Amino acid sequence: MTDSAAGGRASYPRLAARTRNFTLGIPGDFRIAPDGSRVAFLRAASGTDRTSELWVYDVARDCEHRIIDPVALLGEDGEELSPEERARRERARQAGAGVVAFTSDAAVSAAVFALSSRLWIVDLSSGIVREIPAAGAVIDPRIDPTGRRIAYVAGGSLHVVDVDGSNTQVLATSDGDGVTWGLAEFVAAEEMDRHHGYWWAPDGASLLVERADDSPIQTWHIADPANPERPPNAVRYPAAGTANADVTLWHLTVDGARSEIAWDRSGFEYLGRVDWSRSGAPLLRVLSRDQRSAQVLEVDLATGATGLVAEQHDDAWVDLLGGVPTRLPDGRVVTLADDGDVRRVAVAGVPVGPGDLDVRAVLGTGAAGVLVSASTEPAEQHVWLIGADGSASALTTEPGVHTAVAAETVTVVTSSTMSSSRAIARVRRDGRESGSIASMQEAMPALGDVTLRRLGADAFPSAVLFPRGHVAGSARLPVLLDPYGGPHGQRVVASARAYGTSQWLADQGFCVLVADGRGTPGRGPAWERRVRHDFLGTLDDQVAALEALIAAYPDDVDPARVGIRGWSYGGYLAALAVLRRPDVFRAAVAGAPVTDWTLYDTTYTERYLGHPDVEPEVYRRNGLIDHAPDLRRPLLLIHGLVDDNVVVAHTLRLSAALLSAGRPHAVLPLSGVTHMASQEDVAENLLRLQVDFLQTSLAAPAD
């Protein structure tokens, strides 16, 4: 089936690019008032609008109204972002515009946000909005829980101002080149899913603040060759085996007092999590450089000392999971602990809840217990309430991917299922559904019959897609593998909107296989740890899933015409496929591939492969450069020239090795593009070029 626009409707590649893969217009970032009266949230006006707006949903009336329209607020001036804010959004994967993040006080009566790198506050009842003068380009503004003060970072310094704009003060000033106060360092934001560098006290009188000194980190210079008049961007990048930022944590009071929080930083280099609630003293989770040991610590604010609450060790690595540590309202500490081959909620160190429920993250705590995201089937994620007494109840049951945010009486559950390509946000009040928050998401073109199944002896979670209208046994189609395939990256989920691009690829004349192998979540810690020192094994899993597909559909797929495409780790996997298994794969498209693991960052790479100085052979074996002479199949390498996550040196080094070995290949450089192509025309045409390359490469008879 060809890709055509009917009735003037944009083609799928154009629509997917315009809608950011049909995610625009989905409500999110919910804040629920403790009294259950209102929910503040972000949502774009339509499924093609990249500008997020701030809205409030009235729970009792089941209605919503817009609080902040960024376009109207800024007028003709439009939005301008500082380089620091652009870098922060790249780490947080925020590709939109407008109000991309906000914080509220504990009562959810006022909200604070940055817009065009300026500081704003809005009353969520009246809608009255004011700009507060700030000392430079604002990053990560956060109102204190009492609603009296606002903190923000500008120029690497932490500032505090009263909500009426008075009493401005600098609590911590950048005291050296590369030193910032209140910002998460690169590896925390990129690899530890920690995007904040300061935390308000519940009483609003003090803060815990990260001081990050990047000066030990090597400096890389990333230039855009298409614009030689522009100076290169100097980036401090902590590549595997090199120095990280020197991170310390400080207790700062609004009246100017300062004390350092002490822990064994030589033994536990990474500050993974900070939690500070009204239920007790602050909690930290710190990890060793090799990530095999972790501690949960309680902070004594009077002395700056920390006491051990819990510790964990694993011979492979300890996972840094979402939402923990935290506390129940009575002060007991909640963590997640491995119990056999599942993860369970632990209250004060004691596992509670079902023994067969694999908990992925803690979503919140309350008087009723611990709200979690959990699975019994890898493709599904459900919301469960785990009581401290061990009781458990499922808030969602329909097969799909569900998450939630809760207050004591109101819960917002967001769901994506196989029955619809639209996400749904349902509001539950006192345990019953009372309304919903509208999704403005663009309708995805009709999907075919996506088949979710387990393939092979290892029962790999897989999705199989044929062209819409394909009649079983009518033709043997070329096979296209469309994986991510890397550790902790899941592609096979019970959500129809996850397969829009895969279905379009199938409609171009392929049987598309999406398979999750070792390292992917939802199947327990042992399955995830099978990638330790062995990224090559992720290719073995893709081959095993492919062989099972061929056996299951002998009259519908052609094993002599198999291609693979992927991005980031998926790009690594695609290039690895044609280098290592040319007997199976006829062509590959590798986007932003990691080719030399010594060029990737410390936290991710050392977690799985160890330290390159200690285990250099592991790095050499798992890299692609030494395999360059083995290329026998068509390979298209694609890379953004200003990518500061997987730098373009990865592709250039592999290309140089291929050229040195006399192996023909193609390289497509993307000018002005970072790790992901967000420009609409680039994203659309990039998809079409990949299909053209694969169709051409798989058309010729196998040699």
Side-chain angles (χ1 to χ4, degrees), residues 13-26 42-53 69-71 79 81 89 93-101 115 440 674 676-684:
R14 171 65 67 169
L15 194 58
R18 186 174 298 165
T19 61
R20 283 181 52 209
N21 285 322
F22 303 92
T23 60
L24 297 176
I26 298 175
L42 298 180
R43 187 186 61 205
S46 75
T48 58
D49 193 335
R50 297 196 175 202
T51 301
S52 291
E53 303 170 335
D69 177 356
V71 175
E79 189 173 11
L81 300 179
R89 293 190 184 190
R93 304 296 188 263
Q94 293 172 333
V99 184
V100 299
L115 181 60
M440 309 306 292
T674 57
M676 304 300 292
S678 59
Q679 301 91 326
E680 186 175 313
D681 55 344
V682 173
E684 175 191 16

Side-chain angles (χ1 to χ4, degrees), residues 345-358:
V345 170
V347 176
V350 179
V352 296
D356 61 346
L357 188 66
D358 192 38

Side-chain angles (χ1 to χ4, degrees), residues 53 82 334 689 703:
E53 303 170 335
S82 66
V334 175
L689 286 169
D703 54 24

Side-chain angles (χ1 to χ4, degrees), residues 44-75:
S46 75
T48 58
D49 193 335
R50 297 196 175 202
T51 301
S52 291
E53 303 170 335
L54 180 59
W55 290 73
V56 166
Y57 172 82
D58 187 309
V59 175
R61 297 180 180 180
D62 187 26
C63 65
E64 57 189 42
H65 58 281
R66 183 171 58 189
I67 293 291
I68 296 297
D69 177 356
V71 175
L73 197 61
L74 294 177

